[in-house]
Amino acid sequence: MSASHTKPPSATDWARLQAMTDDDIDFSDDPERDAHFLAQAVIWPGPKKQITLRIDADVLGYFREQGRGYQTLINRVLRKYVEAQKNRA
């Protein structure tokens, strides 16, 4: 195997990191997670499911015209619809 197919060695000083205690870690750029933060947090829905879905050609065309990530956009639109329906109930 040639060298171009291997990963370069890590530049991380793993021994130093393993020797660190919690008090050694600088959390100054990581704010506290207070009630306000948690109220705005997004609950991760879990892994996605791969399916086959029949969509009208013009609808699919519209989303594809939006460019890269159009499938994620379709998922977001469907999620907003589901949330709106839940809020109506």
Side-chain angles (χ1 to χ4, degrees):
M1 179 182 282
S2 71
S4 65
H5 291 97
T6 60
K7 284 183 164 182
S10 173
T12 303
D13 185 351
W14 293 109
R16 183 179 66 85
L17 287 176
Q18 289 174 343
M20 289 177 76
T21 66
D22 287 349
D23 291 334
D24 297 329
I25 300 172
D26 177 11
F27 290 102
S28 64
D29 63 342
D30 189 22
E32 281 290 319
R33 307 299 193 258
D34 58 8
H36 176 72
F37 173 85
L38 295 175
Q40 295 185 341
V42 175
I43 298 173
W44 188 253
K48 294 187 180 342
K49 300 280 185 181
Q50 184 173 350
I51 63 165
T52 300
L53 179 66
R54 296 185 184 276
I55 299 176
D56 294 336
D58 60 326
V59 173
L60 181 58
Y62 171 81
F63 281 99
R64 281 186 170 163
E65 288 171 3
Q66 306 311 305
R68 185 179 174 130
Y70 74 91
Q71 292 173 329
T72 300
L73 180 58
I74 292 170
N75 190 67
R76 286 184 187 153
V77 169
L78 290 172
R79 176 165 298 288
K80 289 292 184 184
Y81 177 81
V82 168
E83 289 171 0
Q85 296 306 306
K86 286 180 179 179
N87 289 335
R88 286 180 56 184

